[in-house]
Amino acid sequence: MFNWVWDLLYGISKSIFSIIDGLLSCANMLCGIEPIKYQGAEMDFMTFLLRNKNISYAFIGAVMVGVVLVVIFAIFAILRSMASEKDSMTPTQIYVKVGKTMLTFIFIPVAMAVLIYFTNVLMQTLYKATLGGSPDGLGRFLAGAFGQDCRKGGVPENFYLSSDFNYKSTSNMREYVNLNDYDFFFSWIAGIAILLSLASSILMFVDRAIALVILFIASPISLSTSVLDDGQRFKLWRDQFLVKFLTGYGCIIGLNIYALVVAAITTNDLVFFENGTLNDIMKIAIIVGGSVSMNRLMALVGNLISQGAGSNELRDNAIATSQARGAIGRFGSAALAPFRATRSAANFVRDSRQFGTLSAIGQRLGFNTDRSYGKMSAVQKSQTHQNLVESEKYKRSLSNKGEANKVENAIHGPNNGGGGNGGAGAAGSNINPGGKGNANNNIGNKMIENNILNNKNNDKK
């Protein structure tokens, strides 16, 4: 009878799982775990960007600038070595360093291509290992994980790995679990937490892709200073590139590990407290706490590469996220601008009719007008006069009605008379005791009879 209720609740859960799969696909493509297609060929997103001809032209231009800078810095280094006796570098060593720098200009694109390729292969393996065995995304694993405690008889624990399983079909899900016992509440909490983390991560991946392209183009300029600072500036560039490149993978892998932890703690076999309410609160605290810490995974991976680099990256991303929210708010304000303009124009027209055009313009410009001091406009005076006329008409109608009631009372007598038979001391009204009502009625009847007789006599004459 209530199957539609469970279908509705599971519809919410499977929608969340489906959105998670969609956002993860976008994030994986931006990160390089899943390939994209360009002109029929599969490649990762970063390789596509670095092979783009316009970006390649920009890199070639940066190489030319870098060559010029290397020559200038080499001349300056030679002059400094000749002028300073303490300088340990000889002109020959400077020439060798210049040659190494020139060769590195050519080596950078090759090194980046090899790094991206092998890193993607390793991260794809690690990503699949943290999916809980799911072959096509995190949604399938989450749908099966929250249904472990409501499996039907004979259904294995890894039923969600079956090729026939489709969590997007409610009828198919009913073949494996009893939906009336499904962990809807925990699935919603964990799903929303993952969605929020993914939404912020996608913005980070876009920033990461653009930053890597900028670092790629700027690499010859950073490398050109190696003649003077013995490669310190280029080391800074290398650390920046590795942090940007690897933190994206860390965030994706962290999401998968978070899902594994959530699936492990939501099972009924894990008991923190004998009290069911306290037990659920403890599990919810772990789920929510894990979602909050998802943003720190990026800093954790970055700090492993270079001390403090991950924390700086987290701070920069927080600033970028705040700016993105502000941009969304400004976009919403711009979208509502036509409505506000229409409303303002309509109000201006009405104010002009009511208070006058000059007064309406003055109010819009912030000036005090006669309206500010309580002075009525011509329209308001006309409305006030009309109201007084209507009020006088209403009073006259009440007065005429009162006169008509007096004449009627004089003819028929008042309607609040006392005793029906006019008996003294009868159960009559205190207002008209006795038979006053009937007496007045008799007088009225006599007057009417006399008028009728007079009319008849006149007719006879």
Side-chain angles (χ1 to χ4, degrees), residues 106-342:
I106 303 174
F107 180 71
I108 286 177
V110 178
M112 292 183 66
V114 173
L115 175 66
I116 291 173
Y117 175 76
F118 282 104
T119 305
N120 285 340
V121 172
L122 293 175
M123 289 302 170
Q124 286 173 7
T125 304
L126 186 59
Y127 174 76
K128 292 179 180 178
T130 56
L131 275 177
S134 177
D136 55 2
L138 193 60
R140 174 194 287 259
F141 169 74
L142 292 174
F146 293 112
Q148 289 295 318
D149 297 324
C150 58
R151 289 179 287 118
K152 292 183 176 180
V155 176
E157 291 183 358
N158 59 347
F159 67 92
Y160 56 89
L161 300 181
S162 173
S163 59
D164 297 330
F165 177 74
N166 181 15
Y167 75 88
K168 297 180 181 179
S169 173
T170 305
S171 59
N172 183 268
M173 191 69 178
R174 282 188 174 277
E175 296 178 4
Y176 299 92
V177 300
N178 296 312
L179 286 183
N180 55 329
D181 291 330
Y182 196 80
D183 288 334
F184 296 111
F185 183 67
F186 287 121
S187 69
W188 296 341
I189 294 178
I192 292 174
I194 293 175
L195 281 178
L196 294 177
S197 298
L198 273 175
S200 60
S201 298
I202 287 178
L203 295 177
M204 183 194 72
F205 294 145
V206 175
D207 171 75
R208 167 183 176 269
I210 297 174
L212 288 176
V213 172
I214 293 174
L215 288 173
F216 171 67
I217 295 174
S219 58
I221 299 175
S222 297
L223 183 60
S224 63
T225 61
S226 299
V227 180
L228 293 177
D229 58 9
D230 199 21
Q232 293 298 318
R233 188 69 55 184
F234 183 69
K235 183 178 180 298
L236 178 62
W237 174 92
R238 183 187 62 196
D239 292 341
Q240 287 284 335
F241 181 84
L242 290 177
V243 169
K244 284 287 184 182
F245 186 68
L246 295 178
T247 51
Y249 293 110
C251 189
I252 293 293
I253 302 302
L255 283 173
N256 290 347
I257 296 175
Y258 171 72
L260 293 176
V261 173
V262 169
I265 67 170
T266 52
T267 178
N268 289 338
D269 296 333
L270 178 62
V271 178
F272 292 101
F273 300 97
E274 295 298 331
N275 188 314
T277 303
L278 287 177
N279 194 55
D280 291 342
I281 291 175
M282 185 65 179
K283 294 182 179 181
I284 292 171
I286 295 175
I287 294 173
V288 175
S291 67
V292 173
S293 64
M294 291 297 296
N295 294 328
R296 297 187 179 92
L297 291 176
M298 175 175 52
L300 178 63
V301 176
N303 289 333
L304 292 176
I305 301 171
S306 177
Q307 184 178 3
S311 300
N312 294 334
E313 185 72 12
L314 179 63
R315 184 184 63 251
D316 293 341
N317 281 324
I319 295 173
T321 302
S322 176
Q323 291 175 347
R325 291 175 181 171
I328 293 173
R330 290 190 295 271
F331 175 77
S333 178
L336 294 176
F339 170 76
R340 290 198 296 267
T342 304

